C-alpha cells in the first residue's frame, strides 16, 4: 500500500536543505572570506533539527545504521552538487548552477534556495527560468558516466589480464539477481559473468569475464563504483528482461517501482526531477508526469526499453 506521506517528506526535505545551504554559507563566510567548514560544526545543529517532530517522515526515509540522518543528508547534498565536499570532512558552498534535463529541457537549479518549487518534485532546489543568467550544464556534463554500451566498449579498451586463482563468487545474467559461490560448471556455461575476489583486510576486486572457449577467459577489471553499471551491462548483453511497475496516483504524478536499484549515477540523475520514497534503498520513485520522458531516458542508459514498464493500479492509504 502506498501512503501519501511522500508529500510531507518532500516539504520536509526542502526545509532541511535550505537550513544546510544557509548553515554552510554562514560558517564559510563567518570571517568575511570563504573558509572550509568542518562537518563537526554542521552535524549537531542539523541533527537537532532533524530529531524534531516536523521531520519525522524524512527521518523514516534517511536513517542508516552506520551514520546519523544529518551525515546522510550532507552526503546526499554533496553528491548532488548542492555543496562541495572536501577531504578530511570539510565542506564549502557552491555557486548556483542549472542542469538541463535531457528530454523536457527543463532547467533544474542547484545551490540556490530561490529556485521555483511549484510543481517541482525533485531533490534539487527547484526550476529556473531561461534567461536567468545562471550557468547551465547538460546532464552528462553535470554527471559524466557511461551508458551500458559505453561501459562495455570502454572496458574492452583496457588490456585483459590472466587470473589463475578461482574467484569467490560469480554474478550471472539472470532475471533474479544473485551472487553464486564459485563453481566451475557455472563459469564454463556462461559466455560472460562478473567475478568477485574477496581479499583479506581489503575491499573485494571485481572483474568482467568473457569466456573465449577451450578453457580460455579474458578478465577486465571493474572499478568498484561501476559495479552496478556492470550488472546492468551484463544483463543487457544477455538480453535479460527487466520489469518496472508504474501507476498513475494523481493527475500529474506517477509511482514507479524498480526491482533493481539504479547505479549511483542514474540515481542522482533521477533525483533532479523525481523523488525517491527511500534514500537508503531508492527503488520506489514519485515521478511527475511531465518528466516521464526524462525518466525513460535514464532507463535507456541502462539498456531498459519502455516496453519493460507494466502499468497497473495502485492502492493508496
Amino acid at each position: 500500500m502506498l501512503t501519501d506521506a511522500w508529500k510531507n517528506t518532500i516539504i520536509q526535505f526542502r526545509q532541511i536543505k535550505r537550513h544546510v545551504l544557509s548553515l554552510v554559507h554562514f560558517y564559510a563566510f563567518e570571517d568575511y572570506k570563504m573558509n572550509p567548514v568542518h562537518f563537526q560544526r554542521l552535524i549537531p545543529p542539523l541533527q537537532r533539527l532533524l530529531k524534531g517532530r516536523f521531520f519525522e517522515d524524512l527521518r523514516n526515509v534517511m536513517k542508516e545504521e552506520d551514520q546519523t540522518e544529518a551525515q546522510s543528508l550532507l552526503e546526499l547534498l554533496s553528491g548532488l552538487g548542492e555543496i562541495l565536499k572536501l577531504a578530511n570532512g570539510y565542506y564549502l558552498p557552491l555557486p548556483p548552477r542549472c542542469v538541463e534535463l535531457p528530454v523536457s529541457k527543463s532547467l533544474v537549479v542547484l545551490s540556490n534556495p530561490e529556485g521555483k518549487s511549484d510543481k517541482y518534485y525533485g531533490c534539487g532546489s527547484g526550476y529556473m527560468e531561461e534567461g536567468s543568467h545562471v550557468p547551465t550544464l547538460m546532464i552528462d556534463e553535470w554527471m559524466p558516466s557511461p551508458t551500458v554500451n559505453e561501459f562495455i566498449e570502454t572496458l574492452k579498451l583496457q588490456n585483459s589480464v590472466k587470473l589463475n586463482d578461482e574467484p569467490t563468487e560469480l554474478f550471472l545474467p539472470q532475471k533474479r539477481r544473485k551472487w553464486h559461490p564459485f563453481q566451475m560448471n557455472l563459469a564454463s556455461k556462461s559466455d560472460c559473468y562478473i567475478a568477485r575476489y574477496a581479499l583479506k583486510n581489503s575491499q573485494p576486486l571485481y572483474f568482467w569475464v568473457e569466456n573465449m572457449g577451450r578453457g580460455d577467459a579474458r578478465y577486465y577489471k571493474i572499478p568498484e563504483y561501476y559495479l552496478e553499471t556492470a550488472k546492468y551491462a551484463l544483463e543487457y548483453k544477455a538480453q535479460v528482461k527487466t520489469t518496472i511497475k508504474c501507476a498513475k496516483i494523481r493527475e500529474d504524478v506517477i509511482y514507479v517501482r524498480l526491482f533493481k536499484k539504479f547505479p549511483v549515477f542514474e540515481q542522482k540523475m533521477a533525483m533532479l526531477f523525481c523523488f525517491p520514497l527511500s534514500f537508503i534503498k531508492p527503488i520506489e520513485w514519485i515521478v511527475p508526469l511531465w518528466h516521464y520522458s526524462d525518466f525513460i531516458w535514464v532507463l535507456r542508459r541502462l539498456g531498459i526499453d519502455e516496453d519493460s514498464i507494466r502499468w497497473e493500479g495502485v492502492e493508496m492509504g
Side-chain angles (χ1 to χ4, degrees), residues 1-282:
M1 179 185 292
L2 177 66
T3 71
D4 60 2
W6 60 269
K7 300 174 190 175
N8 295 329
T9 306
I10 292 176
I11 293 170
Q12 293 165 26
F13 180 78
R14 288 176 183 164
Q15 281 285 96
I16 198 65
K17 190 170 71 169
R18 290 192 189 99
H19 283 297
V20 174
L21 297 181
S22 298
L23 207 57
V24 173
H25 191 275
F26 173 78
Y27 284 131
F29 290 95
E30 198 171 15
D31 297 326
Y32 303 101
K33 60 180 180 179
M34 191 161 67
N35 293 302
V37 183
H38 197 262
F39 77 91
Q40 289 179 341
R41 300 193 74 183
L42 301 170
I43 294 294
L46 289 176
Q47 192 63 21
R48 281 196 300 272
L49 283 170
L50 283 164
K51 286 298 183 184
R53 288 183 61 186
F54 178 80
F55 293 106
E56 181 179 0
D57 294 308
L58 182 60
R59 284 200 308 273
N60 292 336
V61 303
M62 292 205 70
K63 181 61 178 170
E64 293 195 62
E65 292 182 4
D66 59 345
Q67 57 185 10
T68 65
E69 293 91 349
Q71 288 172 311
S72 298
L73 183 64
L74 290 177
E75 288 290 326
L76 172 63
L77 295 183
S78 61
L80 287 171
E82 296 272 14
I83 54 178
L84 178 64
K85 183 179 181 180
L86 303 175
N88 302 318
Y90 286 92
Y91 291 88
L92 280 176
L94 283 170
R97 290 101 59 233
C98 284
V99 180
E100 183 179 289
L101 298 185
V103 183
S104 66
K105 303 303 179 183
S106 300
L107 298 179
V108 175
V109 66
L110 301 172
S111 306
N112 184 355
E114 303 305 316
K116 293 191 175 182
S117 59
D118 182 40
K119 291 189 176 182
Y120 177 68
Y121 295 96
C123 300
S125 296
Y127 295 121
M128 184 65 73
E129 295 180 354
E130 291 186 21
S132 59
H133 306 294
V134 175
T136 299
L137 301 170
M138 299 297 102
I139 197 166
D140 53 355
E141 295 172 325
W142 167 75
M143 186 61 59
S145 62
T147 65
V148 288
N149 278 322
E150 291 166 344
F151 172 80
I152 294 171
E153 291 171 6
T154 304
L155 199 68
K156 292 186 178 180
L157 289 177
Q158 58 178 305
N159 293 326
S160 61
V161 296
K162 186 74 174 176
L163 297 178
N164 296 319
D165 294 337
E166 292 181 350
T168 311
E169 293 178 300
L170 306 177
F171 183 90
L172 305 175
Q174 298 174 323
K175 180 78 173 176
R176 186 177 180 85
R177 285 187 170 180
K178 181 181 178 182
W179 286 95
H180 299 267
F182 176 78
Q183 297 175 30
M184 182 55 72
N185 67 320
L186 283 177
S188 61
K189 290 177 182 176
S190 302
D191 294 333
C192 194
Y193 59 89
I194 298 171
R196 178 181 183 271
Y197 287 81
L199 303 178
K200 189 175 182 180
N201 301 324
S202 183
Q203 294 294 320
L205 296 178
Y206 298 94
F207 291 87
W208 176 282
V209 186
E210 294 197 349
N211 274 328
M212 309 308 295
R214 298 182 181 179
D216 183 28
R218 292 180 182 173
Y219 291 74
Y220 301 90
K221 191 174 185 303
I222 302 170
E224 186 179 359
Y225 47 88
Y226 283 132
L227 177 60
E228 293 302 319
T229 303
K231 291 178 182 178
Y232 275 100
L234 185 68
E235 292 159 351
Y236 170 71
K237 182 179 172 68
Q239 298 183 326
V240 174
K241 184 72 173 176
T242 296
T243 302
I244 295 168
K245 176 181 174 182
C246 193
K248 194 171 182 180
I249 57 174
R250 282 186 3 189
E251 282 303 308
D252 58 350
V253 175
I254 57 178
Y255 161 86
V256 175
R257 189 184 195 282
L258 310 172
F259 294 90
K260 309 165 185 175
K261 69 177 181 178
F262 280 150
V264 64
F265 312 104
E266 280 71 27
Q267 279 183 33
K268 292 173 183 176
M269 289 176 180
M271 283 181 185
L272 285 177
F273 53 91
C274 311
F275 199 85
L277 295 186
S278 169
F279 289 103
I280 311 308
K281 191 178 181 182

